[in-house]
């Protein structure tokens, strides 16, 4: 059977599932070796270093998976959706602009059929367990601080150029443990409202339940691809370290006893 986006979202291999549980519960990941990461740092036993490390292409893999899911969600709400669109392919004041942000792309551009407001969006994943002690303290003291910082960075980069092109910019920020940023949550709620509005007339109570169910379902899909992406980052980082030291990781024979003991407490 071909691996479609739908089957990908709901299918975990052994290593992905066990790693997702270990990350969520804050358990040691037994396969992480004691050798240094290819960036030169020594990894921690919980895998947090790998989620922050920029070496390897797995961060892009995770980013693109979230972008694909969000594009599918916006399409289901009736929007016409484009991915990876160069910013300068959009006209500014009726003329093409090749001088502003020549290398920037919008992750998503959604043309709404339900309103005159079209949006641009960019996905970003932030780790609240920052390698910076100062930022880590801020994240510990302020709910959603990691997402707030990520949204601010994306707004500084894309909001003005989006507005100049008649687009409303939406930063799609999510933390590595699954918490969505304010703008991300608002975007999901607005998409759910468009789905309800396009359906046959229903009682307000039923509409509210449908709206909440849709948002919850979409959040689950985003969380699944996020955790699969996190597991892939760790898996590939481990493989690179071991291959550099002429060892082979065994990803199919993991011991679940520690996980079972923790879950049954």
């Amino acid at each position: 059977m071909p691996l479609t986006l739908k089957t990908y979202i709901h299918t975990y291999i052994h290593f992905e599932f066990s790693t997702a549980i270990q990350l969520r519960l804050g358990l040691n990941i037994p396969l992480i070796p004691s050798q240094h990461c290819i960036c030169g740092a020594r990894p921690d036993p919980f895998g947090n270093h790998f989620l922050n490390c920029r070496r390897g292409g797995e961060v892009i893999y995770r980013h693109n998976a979230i972008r694909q899911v969000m594009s599918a969600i916006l399409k289901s709400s009736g929007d016409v959706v484009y991915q990876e669109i160069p910013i300068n392919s959009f006209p500014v004041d009726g003329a093409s602009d090749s001088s502003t942000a020549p290398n920037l792309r919008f992750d998503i551009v959604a043309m709404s059929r339900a309103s005159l407001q079209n949006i641009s969006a960019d996905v970003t994943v932030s780790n609240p367990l920052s390698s910076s002690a100062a930022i880590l303290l801020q994240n510990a003291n302020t709910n959603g601080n990691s997402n707030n910082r990520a949204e601010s960075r994306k707004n500084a980069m894309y909001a003005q150029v989006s507005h100049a092109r008649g687009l409303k910019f939406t930063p799609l920020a999510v933390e590595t443990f699954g918490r969505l940023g304010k703008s991300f949550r608002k975007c999901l709620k607005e998409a759910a409202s468009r789905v309800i509005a396009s359906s046959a007339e229903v009682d307000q109570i039923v509409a509210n339940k449908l709206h909440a169910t849709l948002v919850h379902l979409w959040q689950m899909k985003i969380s699944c691809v996020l955790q699969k992406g996190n597991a892939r980052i760790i898996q590939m980082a481990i493989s690179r370290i071991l291959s550099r030291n002429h060892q082979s990781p065994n990803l199919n024979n993991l011991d679940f006893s520690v996980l079972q003991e923790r879950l049954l407490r």
Side-chain angles (χ1 to χ4, degrees):
M1 185 173 102
L3 188 61
T4 63
L5 179 61
K6 182 177 181 180
T7 57
Y8 169 80
I9 290 172
H10 298 101
T11 304
Y12 283 80
I13 62 172
H14 192 147
F15 180 81
E16 290 173 340
F17 185 71
S18 61
T19 302
I21 294 176
Q22 289 162 339
L23 283 171
R24 191 65 178 171
L25 296 181
L27 299 174
N28 288 4
I29 299 176
L31 286 175
I32 293 180
S34 59
Q35 296 96 330
H36 287 78
C37 175
I38 60 171
C39 72
R42 186 176 293 279
D44 61 279
F46 307 105
N48 291 320
H49 168 75
F50 297 136
L51 298 180
N52 289 325
C53 185
R54 294 296 176 181
R55 297 293 292 271
E58 293 75 40
V59 172
I60 300 300
Y61 169 92
R62 179 183 63 185
H63 166 278
N64 290 348
I66 296 171
R67 185 196 68 213
Q68 284 184 275
V69 171
M70 193 58 193
S71 295
I73 288 171
L74 292 173
K75 285 181 182 178
S76 71
S77 73
D79 292 351
V80 178
V81 179
Y82 304 92
Q83 299 184 49
E84 287 292 315
I85 303 298
I87 286 179
N88 289 324
S89 65
F90 285 84
V92 178
D93 295 328
S96 177
D97 176 18
S98 60
S99 60
T100 305
N103 298 319
L104 289 182
R105 291 174 174 265
F106 294 127
D107 279 340
I108 298 171
V109 173
M111 305 297 192
S112 176
R113 292 170 176 167
S115 69
L116 297 177
Q117 182 63 71
N118 301 321
I119 71 166
S120 60
D122 199 77
V123 174
T124 181
V125 181
S126 65
N127 189 352
L129 300 179
S130 172
S131 56
S132 164
I135 295 176
L136 183 61
L137 182 61
Q138 293 175 16
N139 292 345
N141 292 331
T142 306
N143 285 335
N145 185 68
S146 183
N147 275 332
N148 293 341
R149 288 171 55 87
E151 287 186 353
S152 295
R153 288 194 300 271
K154 290 298 181 180
N155 278 323
M157 187 179 298
Y158 290 101
Q160 185 174 350
V161 293
S162 292
H163 180 73
R165 289 158 174 80
L167 301 169
K168 177 185 176 182
F169 178 67
T170 300
L172 302 176
V174 57
E175 295 179 356
T176 51
F177 295 105
R179 181 183 185 130
L180 300 181
K182 294 177 182 178
S183 296
F184 207 148
R185 294 197 301 271
K186 182 180 178 182
C187 188
L188 290 177
K189 290 177 180 178
E190 290 175 347
S193 294
R194 293 195 296 275
V195 172
I196 302 301
S198 65
S199 305
E201 290 188 11
V202 294
D203 179 84
Q204 188 60 47
I205 295 177
V206 175
N208 291 341
K209 289 183 178 179
L210 288 173
H211 186 278
T213 300
L214 265 181
V215 172
H216 178 66
L217 174 64
W218 291 341
Q219 287 176 329
M220 286 177 59
K221 289 185 175 183
I222 293 165
S223 179
C224 284
V225 295
L226 171 68
Q227 299 310 322
K228 286 167 69 68
N230 288 341
R232 183 182 176 93
I233 288 171
I234 292 173
Q235 175 188 359
M236 297 308 296
I238 291 172
S239 296
R240 277 193 293 271
I241 293 174
L242 295 181
S243 63
R244 186 180 60 183
N245 291 277
H246 308 292
Q247 302 176 39
S248 298
N250 186 350
L251 303 179
N252 295 314
N253 296 308
L254 300 182
D255 184 3
F256 272 84
S257 59
V258 176
L259 296 177
Q260 292 171 344
E261 180 183 351
R262 181 69 173 268
L263 289 169
L264 293 174
R265 285 178 185 175

